[in-house]
Amino acid sequence: MRVITGTARGAKLKTLDGLATRPTSDRVKEAVFNIIQFDIEGRRVLDLFGGSGQMAIEALSRGASYGVLVDQSGEAVKIIRENLKKTKFDQKASVFQMDYMRYLSTCRETFDIIFLDPPYAENFLENALQKISEIDILSEGGIIVCERPREKEMPATVGDLICSRDYCYGKTAINLYTR
C-alpha cells in the first residue's frame, strides 16, 4: 500500500498483519480522493477507524492541514505512528488509542472531512454517524466518507446528515454524507 499522490507520493505504508483489519483497496482509495480532491486543501481530517492511517495520510499528503487518527488497537496505533513518521506528518497529526464511541463522546473539535471505514460485520458505521450528528463535529460544508460492503444499505438521512452521493466499486460502496 502506497500514498497515491502529494508530498508523500509513493511512500510505502505499513499495514497490520492478519485479518484484523481490511485496508481500503488502492482502487477505492483513489476513487474517494478523486471525488473529494477539491475539498482537501487546508482542511482538518478525522480518521475514526484508523487501521494503518492510510486515508488520513493520503489527505495530509494532498494538503490537509491536520489529521486526527483513532483506533482501539495498540498494534494499529503503533503502525499509524510509524507511517506518520515515515511520511513526515507526525507533527501534523494526533493519534488516539481508544474506542470510537469513547473518542466521539470526548471530542470537542470540528472536522471538515471524516473518514469512517469500520469493520463491516458490526453496526459501527450507523452508530458513528448517529453520534457525529448528535455532537455536531462536522464543519459547515464538511463531508463524511463512509466505506461499506455493497450489500449493506445505508439510510438517506441520519439526524441532520444527508447522504449526498453513493458510489460502488466492486464489492465496496462509498457513501458521502453532508449536513
Side-chain angles (χ1 to χ4, degrees):
M1 175 180 8
R2 294 183 185 277
V3 177
I4 297 169
T5 196
T7 59
R9 180 180 184 198
K12 188 171 182 186
L13 302 176
K14 287 187 176 182
T15 60
L16 289 160
D17 293 329
L19 302 173
T21 60
R22 176 198 30 74
T24 300
S25 73
D26 284 345
R27 177 178 174 223
V28 172
K29 181 170 70 170
E30 188 166 5
V32 164
F33 281 94
N34 284 339
I35 294 164
I36 66 169
Q37 66 183 325
F38 301 113
D39 299 304
I40 300 171
E41 185 74 32
R43 306 300 172 101
R44 294 178 52 82
V45 174
L46 170 63
D47 192 346
L48 196 55
F49 301 90
S52 65
Q54 72 163 327
M55 297 303 279
I57 289 170
E58 186 72 38
L60 290 166
S61 181
R62 293 172 183 242
S65 64
Y66 190 73
V68 173
L69 299 92
V70 180
D71 204 292
Q72 73 177 19
S73 162
E75 202 175 325
V77 165
K78 180 180 176 211
I79 286 179
I80 289 168
R81 287 191 170 124
E82 288 176 22
N83 286 335
L84 286 167
K85 186 172 184 175
K86 181 177 190 171
T87 56
K88 298 181 174 64
F89 295 131
D90 48 328
Q91 300 300 310
K92 293 177 76 173
S94 296
V95 182
F96 296 94
Q97 182 183 347
M98 63 176 61
D99 173 79
Y100 76 101
M101 280 300 236
R102 189 169 139 232
Y103 176 80
L104 291 174
S105 296
T106 60
C107 183
R108 302 293 177 258
E109 300 179 65
T110 59
F111 298 94
D112 304 298
I113 301 171
I114 300 175
F115 294 106
L116 301 178
D117 182 13
Y120 281 176
E122 305 295 334
N123 288 329
F124 297 158
L125 190 53
E126 297 89 333
N127 295 341
L129 282 169
Q130 184 62 46
K131 188 68 172 177
I132 289 166
S133 173
E134 290 170 8
I135 63 174
D136 195 27
I137 63 168
L138 185 64
S139 68
E140 194 64 41
I143 302 167
I144 301 173
V145 178
C146 302
E147 184 176 334
R148 63 176 173 81
R150 186 178 192 156
E151 64 276 1
K152 181 177 188 160
E153 294 294 322
M154 291 299 292
T157 61
V158 178
D160 67 346
L161 302 174
I162 299 167
C163 182
S164 59
R165 290 186 257 173
D166 190 5
Y167 303 89
C168 290
Y169 304 96
K171 295 180 179 182
T172 302
I174 301 295
N175 291 86
L176 300 185
Y177 282 86
T178 56
R179 291 194 318 144

